[in-house]
PDB file of all heavy atoms in Angstrom:
ATOM      1  N   GLY A   1       0.767  -1.251   0.058  1.00 91.00           N
ATOM      2  CA  GLY A   1      -0.054   0.005  -0.006  1.00 91.00           C
ATOM      3  C   GLY A   1       0.794   1.293  -0.021  1.00 91.00           C
ATOM      4  O   GLY A   1       0.257   2.356   0.068  1.00 91.00           O
ATOM      5  N   THR A   2       2.080   1.137  -0.069  1.00 92.00           N
ATOM      6  CA  THR A   2       2.994   2.351  -0.116  1.00 92.00           C
ATOM      7  C   THR A   2       4.373   1.873  -0.513  1.00 92.00           C
ATOM      8  O   THR A   2       4.740   0.667  -0.359  1.00 92.00           O
ATOM      9  CB  THR A   2       3.066   2.994   1.228  1.00 92.00           C
ATOM     10  OG1 THR A   2       3.913   4.175   1.159  1.00 92.00           O
ATOM     11  CG2 THR A   2       3.685   2.121   2.284  1.00 92.00           C
ATOM     12  N   VAL A   3       5.203   2.724  -1.061  1.00 91.00           N
ATOM     13  CA  VAL A   3       6.554   2.397  -1.454  1.00 91.00           C
ATOM     14  C   VAL A   3       7.393   3.730  -1.473  1.00 91.00           C
ATOM     15  O   VAL A   3       6.879   4.779  -1.755  1.00 91.00           O
ATOM     16  CB  VAL A   3       6.610   1.762  -2.909  1.00 91.00           C
ATOM     17  CG1 VAL A   3       6.123   2.715  -3.957  1.00 91.00           C
ATOM     18  CG2 VAL A   3       7.995   1.193  -3.236  1.00 91.00           C
ATOM     19  N   ASN A   4       8.661   3.608  -1.131  1.00 88.00           N
ATOM     20  CA  ASN A   4       9.590   4.705  -1.219  1.00 88.00           C
ATOM     21  C   ASN A   4      10.371   4.597  -2.502  1.00 88.00           C
ATOM     22  O   ASN A   4      10.901   3.547  -2.820  1.00 88.00           O
ATOM     23  CB  ASN A   4      10.533   4.731  -0.015  1.00 88.00           C
ATOM     24  CG  ASN A   4       9.915   5.231   1.172  1.00 88.00           C
ATOM     25  OD1 ASN A   4       9.182   6.230   1.181  1.00 88.00           O
ATOM     26  ND2 ASN A   4      10.198   4.586   2.400  1.00 88.00           N
ATOM     27  N   VAL A   5      10.446   5.669  -3.272  1.00 87.00           N
ATOM     28  CA  VAL A   5      11.175   5.690  -4.535  1.00 87.00           C
ATOM     29  C   VAL A   5      12.083   6.905  -4.511  1.00 87.00           C
ATOM     30  O   VAL A   5      11.669   8.009  -4.064  1.00 87.00           O
ATOM     31  CB  VAL A   5      10.212   5.776  -5.731  1.00 87.00           C
ATOM     32  CG1 VAL A   5      10.958   5.852  -7.009  1.00 87.00           C
ATOM     33  CG2 VAL A   5       9.348   4.577  -5.773  1.00 87.00           C
ATOM     34  N   ASN A   6      13.281   6.743  -4.972  1.00 84.00           N
ATOM     35  CA  ASN A   6      14.215   7.850  -5.029  1.00 84.00           C
ATOM     36  C   ASN A   6      13.744   8.867  -6.095  1.00 84.00           C
ATOM     37  O   ASN A   6      13.328   8.497  -7.119  1.00 84.00           O
ATOM     38  CB  ASN A   6      15.611   7.333  -5.436  1.00 84.00           C
ATOM     39  CG  ASN A   6      16.222   6.501  -4.284  1.00 84.00           C
ATOM     40  OD1 ASN A   6      15.977   6.768  -3.124  1.00 84.00           O
ATOM     41  ND2 ASN A   6      17.113   5.577  -4.688  1.00 84.00           N
ATOM     42  N   GLY A   7      13.819  10.151  -5.698  1.00 84.00           N
ATOM     43  CA  GLY A   7      13.427  11.160  -6.634  1.00 84.00           C
ATOM     44  C   GLY A   7      12.866  12.359  -5.862  1.00 84.00           C
ATOM     45  O   GLY A   7      12.461  12.188  -4.701  1.00 84.00           O
ATOM     46  N   LYS A   8      12.751  13.477  -6.537  1.00 89.00           N
ATOM     47  CA  LYS A   8      12.209  14.685  -5.856  1.00 89.00           C
ATOM     48  C   LYS A   8      10.778  14.885  -6.424  1.00 89.00           C
ATOM     49  O   LYS A   8      10.562  14.971  -7.621  1.00 89.00           O
ATOM     50  CB  LYS A   8      13.036  15.936  -6.184  1.00 89.00           C
ATOM     51  CG  LYS A   8      12.551  17.177  -5.479  1.00 89.00           C
ATOM     52  CD  LYS A   8      13.362  18.407  -5.846  1.00 89.00           C
ATOM     53  CE  LYS A   8      12.907  19.675  -5.061  1.00 89.00           C
ATOM     54  NZ  LYS A   8      11.493  19.913  -5.201  1.00 89.00           N
ATOM     55  N   PHE A   9       9.826  14.848  -5.517  1.00 94.00           N
ATOM     56  CA  PHE A   9       8.443  14.977  -5.875  1.00 94.00           C
ATOM     57  C   PHE A   9       7.854  16.121  -5.160  1.00 94.00           C
ATOM     58  O   PHE A   9       8.234  16.516  -4.034  1.00 94.00           O
ATOM     59  CB  PHE A   9       7.651  13.665  -5.569  1.00 94.00           C
ATOM     60  CG  PHE A   9       8.201  12.486  -6.273  1.00 94.00           C
ATOM     61  CD1 PHE A   9       8.867  11.486  -5.452  1.00 94.00           C
ATOM     62  CD2 PHE A   9       8.080  12.245  -7.638  1.00 94.00           C
ATOM     63  CE1 PHE A   9       9.381  10.374  -6.101  1.00 94.00           C
ATOM     64  CE2 PHE A   9       8.623  11.106  -8.152  1.00 94.00           C
ATOM     65  CZ  PHE A   9       9.271  10.178  -7.414  1.00 94.00           C
ATOM     66  N   TYR A  10       6.720  16.604  -5.705  1.00 96.00           N
ATOM     67  CA  TYR A  10       5.959  17.627  -5.035  1.00 96.00           C
ATOM     68  C   TYR A  10       4.848  16.955  -4.222  1.00 96.00           C
ATOM     69  O   TYR A  10       4.419  15.852  -4.590  1.00 96.00           O
ATOM     70  CB  TYR A  10       5.316  18.639  -6.004  1.00 96.00           C
ATOM     71  CG  TYR A  10       6.334  19.557  -6.699  1.00 96.00           C
ATOM     72  CD1 TYR A  10       6.737  19.310  -8.013  1.00 96.00           C
ATOM     73  CD2 TYR A  10       6.841  20.643  -6.027  1.00 96.00           C
ATOM     74  CE1 TYR A  10       7.643  20.131  -8.636  1.00 96.00           C
ATOM     75  CE2 TYR A  10       7.773  21.516  -6.663  1.00 96.00           C
ATOM     76  CZ  TYR A  10       8.186  21.270  -7.892  1.00 96.00           C
ATOM     77  OH  TYR A  10       9.063  22.072  -8.519  1.00 96.00           O
ATOM     78  N   PRO A  11       4.337  17.548  -3.187  1.00 96.00           N
ATOM     79  CA  PRO A  11       3.184  16.936  -2.428  1.00 96.00           C
ATOM     80  C   PRO A  11       2.009  16.743  -3.341  1.00 96.00           C
ATOM     81  O   PRO A  11       1.617  17.588  -4.194  1.00 96.00           O
ATOM     82  CB  PRO A  11       2.908  18.024  -1.410  1.00 96.00           C
ATOM     83  CG  PRO A  11       4.146  18.795  -1.202  1.00 96.00           C
ATOM     84  CD  PRO A  11       4.787  18.825  -2.581  1.00 96.00           C
ATOM     85  N   ASN A  12       1.413  15.559  -3.218  1.00 97.00           N
ATOM     86  CA  ASN A  12       0.284  15.177  -3.991  1.00 97.00           C
ATOM     87  C   ASN A  12       0.485  15.107  -5.464  1.00 97.00           C
ATOM     88  O   ASN A  12      -0.531  15.186  -6.221  1.00 97.00           O
ATOM     89  CB  ASN A  12      -0.939  16.068  -3.643  1.00 97.00           C
ATOM     90  CG  ASN A  12      -1.271  16.148  -2.174  1.00 97.00           C
ATOM     91  OD1 ASN A  12      -1.374  15.166  -1.487  1.00 97.00           O
ATOM     92  ND2 ASN A  12      -1.385  17.333  -1.642  1.00 97.00           N
ATOM     93  N   GLN A  13       1.730  14.913  -5.892  1.00 97.00           N
ATOM     94  CA  GLN A  13       1.969  14.881  -7.308  1.00 97.00           C
ATOM     95  C   GLN A  13       1.518  13.456  -7.778  1.00 97.00           C
ATOM     96  O   GLN A  13       1.681  12.453  -7.121  1.00 97.00           O
ATOM     97  CB  GLN A  13       3.466  15.054  -7.599  1.00 97.00           C
ATOM     98  CG  GLN A  13       3.812  15.186  -9.024  1.00 97.00           C
ATOM     99  CD  GLN A  13       5.263  15.542  -9.269  1.00 97.00           C
ATOM    100  OE1 GLN A  13       6.086  15.454  -8.346  1.00 97.00           O
ATOM    101  NE2 GLN A  13       5.600  15.988 -10.488  1.00 97.00           N
ATOM    102  N   ALA A  14       1.010  13.427  -9.031  1.00 96.00           N
ATOM    103  CA  ALA A  14       0.543  12.154  -9.669  1.00 96.00           C
ATOM    104  C   ALA A  14       1.788  11.546 -10.367  1.00 96.00           C
ATOM    105  O   ALA A  14       2.436  12.218 -11.221  1.00 96.00           O
ATOM    106  CB  ALA A  14      -0.528  12.425 -10.642  1.00 96.00           C
ATOM    107  N   VAL A  15       2.020  10.292 -10.044  1.00 96.00           N
ATOM    108  CA  VAL A  15       3.255   9.644 -10.574  1.00 96.00           C
ATOM    109  C   VAL A  15       2.902   8.313 -11.252  1.00 96.00           C
ATOM    110  O   VAL A  15       2.082   7.525 -10.798  1.00 96.00           O
ATOM    111  CB  VAL A  15       4.208   9.298  -9.388  1.00 96.00           C
ATOM    112  CG1 VAL A  15       5.441   8.606  -9.956  1.00 96.00           C
ATOM    113  CG2 VAL A  15       4.602  10.542  -8.640  1.00 96.00           C
ATOM    114  N   THR A  16       3.422   8.141 -12.472  1.00 95.00           N
ATOM    115  CA  THR A  16       3.255   6.923 -13.212  1.00 95.00           C
ATOM    116  C   THR A  16       4.551   6.130 -13.086  1.00 95.00           C
ATOM    117  O   THR A  16       5.653   6.532 -13.487  1.00 95.00           O
ATOM    118  CB  THR A  16       2.947   7.151 -14.704  1.00 95.00           C
ATOM    119  OG1 THR A  16       1.776   7.928 -14.825  1.00 95.00           O
ATOM    120  CG2 THR A  16       2.771   5.858 -15.422  1.00 95.00           C
ATOM    121  N   LEU A  17       4.449   4.948 -12.481  1.00 95.00           N
ATOM    122  CA  LEU A  17       5.582   4.015 -12.275  1.00 95.00           C
ATOM    123  C   LEU A  17       5.718   3.200 -13.525  1.00 95.00           C
ATOM    124  O   LEU A  17       4.720   2.448 -13.830  1.00 95.00           O
ATOM    125  CB  LEU A  17       5.454   3.233 -10.994  1.00 95.00           C
ATOM    126  CG  LEU A  17       5.239   3.972  -9.685  1.00 95.00           C
ATOM    127  CD1 LEU A  17       5.168   3.005  -8.579  1.00 95.00           C
ATOM    128  CD2 LEU A  17       6.342   4.992  -9.448  1.00 95.00           C
ATOM    129  N   VAL A  18       6.817   3.141 -14.178  1.00 94.00           N
ATOM    130  CA  VAL A  18       7.041   2.356 -15.382  1.00 94.00           C
ATOM    131  C   VAL A  18       8.099   1.311 -15.116  1.00 94.00           C
ATOM    132  O   VAL A  18       9.203   1.688 -14.679  1.00 94.00           O
ATOM    133  CB  VAL A  18       7.500   3.263 -16.569  1.00 94.00           C
ATOM    134  CG1 VAL A  18       7.596   2.425 -17.813  1.00 94.00           C
ATOM    135  CG2 VAL A  18       6.451   4.345 -16.802  1.00 94.00           C
ATOM    136  N   ASP A  19       7.744   0.067 -15.324  1.00 93.00           N
ATOM    137  CA  ASP A  19       8.664  -1.047 -15.159  1.00 93.00           C
ATOM    138  C   ASP A  19       9.864  -0.853 -16.112  1.00 93.00           C
ATOM    139  O   ASP A  19       9.681  -0.826 -17.300  1.00 93.00           O
ATOM    140  CB  ASP A  19       7.921  -2.369 -15.393  1.00 93.00           C
ATOM    141  CG  ASP A  19       8.786  -3.538 -14.996  1.00 93.00           C
ATOM    142  OD1 ASP A  19       9.995  -3.521 -14.950  1.00 93.00           O
ATOM    143  OD2 ASP A  19       8.160  -4.631 -14.674  1.00 93.00           O
ATOM    144  N   ILE A  20      11.075  -0.865 -15.480  1.00 92.00           N
ATOM    145  CA  ILE A  20      12.268  -0.624 -16.300  1.00 92.00           C
ATOM    146  C   ILE A  20      12.511  -1.815 -17.238  1.00 92.00           C
ATOM    147  O   ILE A  20      13.177  -1.655 -18.295  1.00 92.00           O
ATOM    148  CB  ILE A  20      13.452  -0.321 -15.374  1.00 92.00           C
ATOM    149  CG1 ILE A  20      14.612   0.250 -16.243  1.00 92.00           C
ATOM    150  CG2 ILE A  20      13.841  -1.609 -14.642  1.00 92.00           C
ATOM    151  CD1 ILE A  20      15.754   0.747 -15.393  1.00 92.00           C
ATOM    152  N   LEU A  21      12.011  -3.017 -16.894  1.00 91.00           N
ATOM    153  CA  LEU A  21      12.254  -4.191 -17.697  1.00 91.00           C
ATOM    154  C   LEU A  21      11.141  -4.424 -18.725  1.00 91.00           C
ATOM    155  O   LEU A  21      11.325  -5.037 -19.711  1.00 91.00           O
ATOM    156  CB  LEU A  21      12.417  -5.403 -16.815  1.00 91.00           C
ATOM    157  CG  LEU A  21      13.537  -5.387 -15.767  1.00 91.00           C
ATOM    158  CD1 LEU A  21      13.549  -6.639 -14.915  1.00 91.00           C
ATOM    159  CD2 LEU A  21      14.892  -5.183 -16.522  1.00 91.00           C
ATOM    160  N   ASN A  22       9.965  -3.930 -18.339  1.00 90.00           N
ATOM    161  CA  ASN A  22       8.720  -4.124 -19.197  1.00 90.00           C
ATOM    162  C   ASN A  22       7.975  -2.860 -19.239  1.00 90.00           C
ATOM    163  O   ASN A  22       7.069  -2.678 -18.328  1.00 90.00           O
ATOM    164  CB  ASN A  22       7.914  -5.292 -18.637  1.00 90.00           C
ATOM    165  CG  ASN A  22       6.682  -5.521 -19.482  1.00 90.00           C
ATOM    166  OD1 ASN A  22       6.548  -4.993 -20.640  1.00 90.00           O
ATOM    167  ND2 ASN A  22       5.692  -6.208 -18.959  1.00 90.00           N
ATOM    168  N   PRO A  23       8.242  -1.915 -20.175  1.00 89.00           N
ATOM    169  CA  PRO A  23       7.578  -0.596 -20.164  1.00 89.00           C
ATOM    170  C   PRO A  23       6.078  -0.659 -20.209  1.00 89.00           C
ATOM    171  O   PRO A  23       5.397   0.275 -19.849  1.00 89.00           O
ATOM    172  CB  PRO A  23       8.144   0.043 -21.407  1.00 89.00           C
ATOM    173  CG  PRO A  23       9.485  -0.637 -21.595  1.00 89.00           C
ATOM    174  CD  PRO A  23       9.260  -1.997 -21.209  1.00 89.00           C
ATOM    175  N   GLY A  24       5.493  -1.826 -20.680  1.00 88.00           N
ATOM    176  CA  GLY A  24       4.066  -1.958 -20.618  1.00 88.00           C
ATOM    177  C   GLY A  24       3.457  -2.174 -19.283  1.00 88.00           C
ATOM    178  O   GLY A  24       2.202  -2.119 -19.152  1.00 88.00           O
ATOM    179  N   HIS A  25       4.294  -2.462 -18.360  1.00 91.00           N
ATOM    180  CA  HIS A  25       3.847  -2.734 -16.950  1.00 91.00           C
ATOM    181  C   HIS A  25       3.951  -1.429 -16.217  1.00 91.00           C
ATOM    182  O   HIS A  25       5.103  -0.960 -15.904  1.00 91.00           O
ATOM    183  CB  HIS A  25       4.708  -3.852 -16.292  1.00 91.00           C
ATOM    184  CG  HIS A  25       4.233  -4.160 -14.971  1.00 91.00           C
ATOM    185  ND1 HIS A  25       5.119  -4.732 -14.011  1.00 91.00           N
ATOM    186  CD2 HIS A  25       3.023  -4.158 -14.364  1.00 91.00           C
ATOM    187  CE1 HIS A  25       4.484  -4.916 -12.895  1.00 91.00           C
ATOM    188  NE2 HIS A  25       3.232  -4.602 -13.071  1.00 91.00           N
ATOM    189  N   THR A  26       2.796  -0.833 -15.843  1.00 93.00           N
ATOM    190  CA  THR A  26       2.842   0.435 -15.158  1.00 93.00           C
ATOM    191  C   THR A  26       1.894   0.443 -13.940  1.00 93.00           C
ATOM    192  O   THR A  26       1.109  -0.461 -13.798  1.00 93.00           O
ATOM    193  CB  THR A  26       2.380   1.612 -16.105  1.00 93.00           C
ATOM    194  OG1 THR A  26       1.006   1.398 -16.502  1.00 93.00           O
ATOM    195  CG2 THR A  26       3.352   1.691 -17.300  1.00 93.00           C
TER     196      THR A  26
END
């Protein structure tokens, strides 16, 4: 239900996670 990811984000920013091995997996 949560994950920490390296990067600078703004509060409540919408993020699309893209699988680095399979770009179709988001």
Side-chain angles (χ1 to χ4, degrees):
T2 183
V3 66
N4 282 319
V5 177
N6 292 329
K8 184 182 183 306
F9 304 107
Y10 291 104
N12 303 310
Q13 188 171 16
V15 182
T16 302
L17 307 179
V18 181
D19 191 333
I20 195 171
L21 302 178
N22 178 16
H25 183 209
T26 62

